[in-house]
Amino acid sequence: MDLETGAPLPSRLHVDGGSSDGRRVHGADRYNGGRWKDMVMAYRTLGVVFGGLVTSPLYVYPSMNLKSPSEQDYLGIYGIMFWTLTLIGVVKYVCIALNADDHGEGGTFALYSLLCRHTNIGILPSRKADSVTNAAHANPSVGTENRSRLGICIERSMTARRIVLFIAILGMCMLIGDGILTPAISVLSAMDGLRGPLPSIHKSAVEALSAVVLIALFLLQKYGTARVSFLFSPIMASWTFTTPIIGVYSFLRYYPGIFKSISPKYIVHFFLRNGKTGWQLLGGTALCITGSEAMFADLGHFNKRSIQIAFLFSIYPSLVLTYAGQTAYLIRNPNDHSDGFYKFVPGPVYWPMFTIATLAAIVASQSLISATFSVIKQSVVLDYFPRVKVVHTSRHKEGEVYSPETNYILMLLCVAVILGFGDGKELGNAFGVVVILVMLITTILLTLVMIIIWRIPLIISALYFVPFSIVEGAYASAVCTKILEGGWLPFAVSVILAFIMFGWYYGRQRKLEYELANKITLECLGEVLERPEIQRVPGLCFFYSNIQNGLTPILGHYIQNMRSLHRVTIFTTLRYLLVAKVAPNERIIITRLGLNGVYGCVIQYGYADFLNLEGDDFVTQVTNSLRAHIENSEGLSPAYVEEEIMLLERAKEAGVVHVRGKTRFYVGKDTSLFDRILLGFYEFLHSNCRSALPAMGIPLQQRMEIGMLYKA
């Protein structure tokens, strides 16, 4: 564990040194300890990260609209699935994408924040200065001739910056859509196995039972992913290592030469023979790689090496062998594709495999649920999404989070999808749209990271972008033909989420623009405090503001009505940087504002930081930092320093109050229709979201809210 950032260090970077009892730790011992830790974490990833990916054999073949398929058709389909797993799973995600983490965090928003830290592509006014500062800190070449030309072009074009932001937002929205569909299709496909040996069971009974199982799963989420993975990893290990055994048995029995289909000629012949129908079937084969985006988005829950070990040595071989066995069975039984998984399971082990499949489908839902919690937290702290409650479920791993509101909304949507769709093919169509579009968005953002941050030459970057964009573009074109057959669902969810995010972003932008245009200068504050009618009352006041260069307009409104200001007033700004974690020594920054008893305080956090400042602890940490700042100030006499510290102590003893503005937009008759709609929607979101202060555990009796209207 990094003592400054709290981030887990990769095992190969562990620092040489002694053990806690003074003994020297040898390099081999450290290596073996780190390797063992990675193996344990790799085992835990089975229960959280790979559930959706490794259970895809449950619904891939049933989702395909096959009509009288031949042996050559099945060989072509298996070839497509093999190379999809190899190129997208191994090459793209394991070898490339997992290296594009932002201080241990993954996902589309992590890629966006990584770009913001190295280039000035932020949109919000409060982010522009931050992104420049962060870029200069993270990349010394920023501001010199060594900067990427593509990065400079994006910086200079507001349209390009908005497009990059829109792509990141769309990726997040699609991933949340994935979190809705994965539990629904996984559990429903597994429970449908009841209807094989028990045909008297009605389809509606299977749907109701699936809904009950999902509700129970969502109710377990509040206990955190560490406890969940402890319960689920053994289940997923059983699934991961039993399905390939059945797969090997199946292809040895039905079609030993199945692996000849790895040759690209079978794929070419498949498309030449089937034409448009073969192209449309890509929508079904795309499901074989579903859940791979969670492998990237869940990076903050584990680490890169553990995910790579788990995928390369268990998940990838398991899928290759399982699909080989399924395909071999279907070559000899070509019309059983509608129940492609359970039909290829031998009779003596049917019920044990049904039990394992059902439990594995439950676990499969966990991977996207955890990923959804992660991306929601990232977007909230970056101020692109309304504030919702985010609970850190682990004291040792900041990436393990849980959001109650998000959890229950997902639960309701998943149950609605099961009861509303029911049919596996329609769910498969909707699922395929989400899977491919999220992958395509990751490819675009990852290419920008390669060119702008990694400084990989354009030609080499094109060797990544062109092949993957062609493959994923072909998949996307196929799944988009299924929009009317269930594919509309993820688009509807994404549009609603994108409208929420854009409405929130637009309202925050307009509010910041107003505050920057009407901010109060220190000179103006000094003149106001010199007026005889303005009193300095005993006590310590934390006055919260969204701007740093200047003082919020609410301050003038407060002084004008209260005719006073506390003896010690600390103007506090919660500043979320476009980084994952902020070092503790940079967490609280104190400045003197040149007025007696008036100070500035900036509390800096990254989107993966744990907000552990609670009530009195928060006050104590800030006052301790202020005392240290006063003591270390140059040019002050010891008597003046002692007097200032005594003033601080007396103010703290007199009482602490936390003042924040509660501003609203005044929408007049001269306001445009666009602003009326967007700002009205923002006010609705703002009035129903959580306050920023409860996150720090501030007691209710110490809070004060000052209302003010901003003219739109």
Side-chain angles (χ1 to χ4, degrees), residues 506-517:
Y506 185 75
R508 299 295 291 176
Q509 182 186 46
R510 290 294 303 272
K511 194 168 278 190
L512 285 169
E513 288 174 352
Y514 181 90
E515 292 183 347
L516 290 172

PDB file of all heavy atoms in Angstrom, residues 506-517:
ATOM      1  N   TYR A 506     -25.227  21.353 -17.707  1.00  0.00           N
ATOM      2  CA  TYR A 506     -25.553  22.690 -18.204  1.00  0.00           C
ATOM      3  C   TYR A 506     -25.911  23.630 -17.053  1.00  0.00           C
ATOM      4  O   TYR A 506     -25.476  24.782 -17.005  1.00  0.00           O
ATOM      5  CB  TYR A 506     -26.722  22.610 -19.188  1.00  0.00           C
ATOM      6  CG  TYR A 506     -27.052  23.936 -19.839  1.00  0.00           C
ATOM      7  CD1 TYR A 506     -26.250  24.456 -20.846  1.00  0.00           C
ATOM      8  CD2 TYR A 506     -28.169  24.665 -19.438  1.00  0.00           C
ATOM      9  CE1 TYR A 506     -26.548  25.666 -21.443  1.00  0.00           C
ATOM     10  CE2 TYR A 506     -28.481  25.877 -20.028  1.00  0.00           C
ATOM     11  CZ  TYR A 506     -27.668  26.373 -21.024  1.00  0.00           C
ATOM     12  OH  TYR A 506     -27.971  27.589 -21.608  1.00  0.00           O
ATOM     13  N   GLY A 507     -26.699  23.125 -16.083  1.00  0.00           N
ATOM     14  CA  GLY A 507     -27.053  23.953 -14.938  1.00  0.00           C
ATOM     15  C   GLY A 507     -25.849  24.317 -14.107  1.00  0.00           C
ATOM     16  O   GLY A 507     -25.701  25.471 -13.663  1.00  0.00           O
ATOM     17  N   ARG A 508     -24.941  23.356 -13.874  1.00  0.00           N
ATOM     18  CA  ARG A 508     -23.723  23.650 -13.110  1.00  0.00           C
ATOM     19  C   ARG A 508     -22.844  24.652 -13.842  1.00  0.00           C
ATOM     20  O   ARG A 508     -22.241  25.541 -13.226  1.00  0.00           O
ATOM     21  CB  ARG A 508     -22.944  22.356 -12.863  1.00  0.00           C
ATOM     22  CG  ARG A 508     -23.684  21.309 -12.078  1.00  0.00           C
ATOM     23  CD  ARG A 508     -23.986  21.744 -10.664  1.00  0.00           C
ATOM     24  NE  ARG A 508     -22.803  21.834  -9.844  1.00  0.00           N
ATOM     25  CZ  ARG A 508     -22.797  22.274  -8.595  1.00  0.00           C
ATOM     26  NH1 ARG A 508     -23.928  22.692  -8.045  1.00  0.00           N
ATOM     27  NH2 ARG A 508     -21.682  22.313  -7.900  1.00  0.00           N
ATOM     28  N   GLN A 509     -22.783  24.529 -15.157  1.00  0.00           N
ATOM     29  CA  GLN A 509     -21.973  25.456 -15.947  1.00  0.00           C
ATOM     30  C   GLN A 509     -22.527  26.873 -15.851  1.00  0.00           C
ATOM     31  O   GLN A 509     -21.779  27.837 -15.616  1.00  0.00           O
ATOM     32  CB  GLN A 509     -21.935  25.002 -17.410  1.00  0.00           C
ATOM     33  CG  GLN A 509     -21.058  25.889 -18.296  1.00  0.00           C
ATOM     34  CD  GLN A 509     -21.159  25.503 -19.743  1.00  0.00           C
ATOM     35  OE1 GLN A 509     -22.263  25.302 -20.257  1.00  0.00           O
ATOM     36  NE2 GLN A 509     -20.037  25.389 -20.417  1.00  0.00           N
ATOM     37  N   ARG A 510     -23.834  27.032 -16.002  1.00  0.00           N
ATOM     38  CA  ARG A 510     -24.442  28.360 -15.925  1.00  0.00           C
ATOM     39  C   ARG A 510     -24.287  28.968 -14.537  1.00  0.00           C
ATOM     40  O   ARG A 510     -24.055  30.169 -14.385  1.00  0.00           O
ATOM     41  CB  ARG A 510     -25.927  28.269 -16.291  1.00  0.00           C
ATOM     42  CG  ARG A 510     -26.190  27.965 -17.760  1.00  0.00           C
ATOM     43  CD  ARG A 510     -25.723  29.111 -18.658  1.00  0.00           C
ATOM     44  NE  ARG A 510     -26.370  30.363 -18.285  1.00  0.00           N
ATOM     45  CZ  ARG A 510     -27.543  30.763 -18.764  1.00  0.00           C
ATOM     46  NH1 ARG A 510     -28.185  30.007 -19.635  1.00  0.00           N
ATOM     47  NH2 ARG A 510     -28.062  31.915 -18.388  1.00  0.00           N
ATOM     48  N   LYS A 511     -24.387  28.144 -13.516  1.00  0.00           N
ATOM     49  CA  LYS A 511     -24.247  28.647 -12.152  1.00  0.00           C
ATOM     50  C   LYS A 511     -22.814  29.122 -11.904  1.00  0.00           C
ATOM     51  O   LYS A 511     -22.584  30.173 -11.292  1.00  0.00           O
ATOM     52  CB  LYS A 511     -24.638  27.550 -11.168  1.00  0.00           C
ATOM     53  CG  LYS A 511     -24.851  28.034  -9.747  1.00  0.00           C
ATOM     54  CD  LYS A 511     -25.512  26.967  -8.887  1.00  0.00           C
ATOM     55  CE  LYS A 511     -27.005  26.943  -9.092  1.00  0.00           C
ATOM     56  NZ  LYS A 511     -27.712  26.078  -8.108  1.00  0.00           N
ATOM     57  N   LEU A 512     -21.839  28.356 -12.376  1.00  0.00           N
ATOM     58  CA  LEU A 512     -20.443  28.756 -12.206  1.00  0.00           C
ATOM     59  C   LEU A 512     -20.127  30.022 -12.994  1.00  0.00           C
ATOM     60  O   LEU A 512     -19.376  30.896 -12.531  1.00  0.00           O
ATOM     61  CB  LEU A 512     -19.522  27.614 -12.643  1.00  0.00           C
ATOM     62  CG  LEU A 512     -19.420  26.430 -11.679  1.00  0.00           C
ATOM     63  CD1 LEU A 512     -18.704  25.275 -12.344  1.00  0.00           C
ATOM     64  CD2 LEU A 512     -18.703  26.833 -10.406  1.00  0.00           C
ATOM     65  N   GLU A 513     -20.693  30.119 -14.186  1.00  0.00           N
ATOM     66  CA  GLU A 513     -20.469  31.323 -14.995  1.00  0.00           C
ATOM     67  C   GLU A 513     -21.013  32.560 -14.281  1.00  0.00           C
ATOM     68  O   GLU A 513     -20.386  33.622 -14.289  1.00  0.00           O
ATOM     69  CB  GLU A 513     -21.127  31.148 -16.364  1.00  0.00           C
ATOM     70  CG  GLU A 513     -20.404  30.164 -17.271  1.00  0.00           C
ATOM     71  CD  GLU A 513     -21.160  29.907 -18.561  1.00  0.00           C
ATOM     72  OE1 GLU A 513     -22.320  30.379 -18.667  1.00  0.00           O
ATOM     73  OE2 GLU A 513     -20.605  29.242 -19.450  1.00  0.00           O
ATOM     74  N   TYR A 514     -22.185  32.442 -13.656  1.00  0.00           N
ATOM     75  CA  TYR A 514     -22.769  33.573 -12.922  1.00  0.00           C
ATOM     76  C   TYR A 514     -21.879  33.943 -11.737  1.00  0.00           C
ATOM     77  O   TYR A 514     -21.620  35.128 -11.483  1.00  0.00           O
ATOM     78  CB  TYR A 514     -24.170  33.216 -12.432  1.00  0.00           C
ATOM     79  CG  TYR A 514     -24.844  34.339 -11.677  1.00  0.00           C
ATOM     80  CD1 TYR A 514     -25.631  35.272 -12.340  1.00  0.00           C
ATOM     81  CD2 TYR A 514     -24.686  34.474 -10.297  1.00  0.00           C
ATOM     82  CE1 TYR A 514     -26.245  36.319 -11.655  1.00  0.00           C
ATOM     83  CE2 TYR A 514     -25.287  35.510  -9.598  1.00  0.00           C
ATOM     84  CZ  TYR A 514     -26.064  36.426 -10.285  1.00  0.00           C
ATOM     85  OH  TYR A 514     -26.651  37.462  -9.599  1.00  0.00           O
ATOM     86  N   GLU A 515     -21.408  32.943 -10.990  1.00  0.00           N
ATOM     87  CA  GLU A 515     -20.585  33.229  -9.821  1.00  0.00           C
ATOM     88  C   GLU A 515     -19.256  33.857 -10.208  1.00  0.00           C
ATOM     89  O   GLU A 515     -18.757  34.753  -9.515  1.00  0.00           O
ATOM     90  CB  GLU A 515     -20.367  31.941  -9.021  1.00  0.00           C
ATOM     91  CG  GLU A 515     -21.639  31.422  -8.363  1.00  0.00           C
ATOM     92  CD  GLU A 515     -21.396  30.200  -7.513  1.00  0.00           C
ATOM     93  OE1 GLU A 515     -20.298  29.607  -7.624  1.00  0.00           O
ATOM     94  OE2 GLU A 515     -22.292  29.826  -6.738  1.00  0.00           O
ATOM     95  N   LEU A 516     -18.668  33.399 -11.304  1.00  0.00           N
ATOM     96  CA  LEU A 516     -17.407  33.991 -11.749  1.00  0.00           C
ATOM     97  C   LEU A 516     -17.605  35.430 -12.227  1.00  0.00           C
ATOM     98  O   LEU A 516     -16.741  36.287 -12.027  1.00  0.00           O
ATOM     99  CB  LEU A 516     -16.798  33.140 -12.867  1.00  0.00           C
ATOM    100  CG  LEU A 516     -16.254  31.763 -12.447  1.00  0.00           C
ATOM    101  CD1 LEU A 516     -15.865  30.954 -13.668  1.00  0.00           C
ATOM    102  CD2 LEU A 516     -15.067  31.919 -11.512  1.00  0.00           C
ATOM    103  N   ALA A 517     -18.744  35.701 -12.866  1.00  0.00           N
ATOM    104  CA  ALA A 517     -19.008  37.052 -13.366  1.00  0.00           C
ATOM    105  C   ALA A 517     -19.379  38.011 -12.243  1.00  0.00           C
ATOM    106  O   ALA A 517     -19.199  39.230 -12.383  1.00  0.00           O
ATOM    107  CB  ALA A 517     -20.124  37.013 -14.412  1.00  0.00           C
TER     108      ALA A 517
END
